[in-house]
Amino acid sequence: MDTRYRTASRKTTYLGLAIALMGIWASSRLLSVVFGAETIWLDFLKELVRLGLWALLLWMVVAKERLPLRSIGWGTSPLWKSLAWGVAGFLLSALAGGVGFLLDVPLHLHFTLPGDDTPLWFGTLIALVAGIVEETFFRGYAMERIKTLTGSTLLAWLLPLGVFASLHLYLGWAGVLNAFCMGLVMAALYWWRRDLLGNMISHALVDLTFVVLFPWLAR
């Protein structure tokens, strides 16, 4: 983070990190406990809540930390560069995912695939929300603020990456490994470019391709 970006309130930043690192998991678990059986409408509500947490975090950056959104990588590059790096990040992430697949066999890891009855429109929505929310949470906000608070680049990389990968445990340990490999590329791309929109595009393209399009074509 640029040295002129300093948080006005450490308490606000700690709360922001709690939202960024735990918000997706905690909100999902809470809604599952409250509403019980998983349905597409419950999943839709979870996506709305995640977008709400995302909007809350952006508000906290501007209104409470009194920092520009550039401090989390927003608006740092022209649109055409974000699009170009988004596609490049997608290709690099796909390559990293391929490495993860190769490691699954000798490590005896397996995927636990979710049901294939998710409507195409809803799968597309999930992919887009994941690209927007997860990149803001785990790359733009968490990496920047952990680095600012602790001074440790290593912690700024590893803590968000570990939480991000663990969120994919529902896909089995192979899913966790693949998410780690692809998340490592996303983290490197963000740290190098500080272009949050580029990361969002990369992430959304990965999910749209491998989580939505390929399973849909295989039906």
Side-chain angles (χ1 to χ4, degrees):
M1 181 189 291
D2 192 301
T3 55
R4 68 178 180 275
Y5 296 146
R6 297 303 179 194
T7 57
S9 169
R10 281 180 172 259
K11 290 183 179 179
T12 298
T13 302
Y14 285 127
L15 177 58
L17 282 172
I19 293 173
L21 296 174
M22 300 300 296
I24 292 176
W25 176 83
S27 63
S28 179
R29 293 299 303 159
L30 178 60
L31 290 172
S32 293
V33 169
V34 171
F35 292 100
E38 296 290 332
T39 66
I40 189 173
W41 299 112
L42 177 55
D43 289 339
F44 185 74
L45 178 59
K46 290 179 180 180
E47 298 305 312
L48 290 180
V49 170
R50 288 170 188 176
L51 284 173
L53 290 173
W54 173 76
L56 173 62
L57 187 64
L58 296 187
W59 174 80
M60 288 172 62
V61 170
V62 175
K64 296 300 181 180
E65 292 182 333
R66 300 188 182 280
L67 296 172
L69 292 180
R70 289 179 66 90
S71 70
I72 59 171
W74 188 269
T76 57
S77 294
L79 179 59
W80 69 268
K81 281 189 177 181
S82 295
L83 289 170
W85 280 106
V87 173
F90 161 67
L91 296 175
L92 291 171
S93 296
L95 181 61
V99 173
F101 278 117
L102 292 176
L103 292 174
D104 290 338
V105 176
L107 293 175
H108 304 290
L109 301 179
H110 304 283
F111 279 94
T112 303
L113 297 178
D116 61 357
D117 57 347
T118 302
L120 182 61
W121 69 267
F122 188 56
T124 301
L125 173 66
I126 292 174
L128 294 176
V129 171
I132 294 170
V133 174
E134 292 178 16
E135 289 307 308
T136 301
F137 282 7
F138 297 112
R139 256 64 75 176
Y141 192 86
M143 292 184 74
E144 295 285 9
R145 296 303 188 261
I146 291 172
K147 171 63 176 178
T148 297
L149 289 173
T150 69
S152 172
T153 300
L154 182 62
L155 186 61
W157 277 60
L158 291 184
L159 181 55
L161 182 56
V163 176
F164 171 75
S166 69
L167 285 178
H168 296 78
L169 186 58
Y170 71 97
L171 293 174
W173 286 106
V176 172
L177 176 60
N178 279 55
F180 182 89
C181 292
M182 288 189 279
L184 188 61
V185 170
M186 297 288 185
L189 185 63
Y190 176 78
W191 206 248
W192 176 36
R193 298 285 306 165
R194 292 303 209 277
D195 181 0
L196 184 60
L197 179 58
N199 268 63
M200 289 178 178
I201 293 170
S202 297
H203 192 142
L205 287 175
V206 166
D207 284 5
L208 284 170
T209 301
F210 297 104
V211 180
V212 180
L213 182 58
F214 284 1
W216 181 75
L217 291 175
R219 292 180 187 175

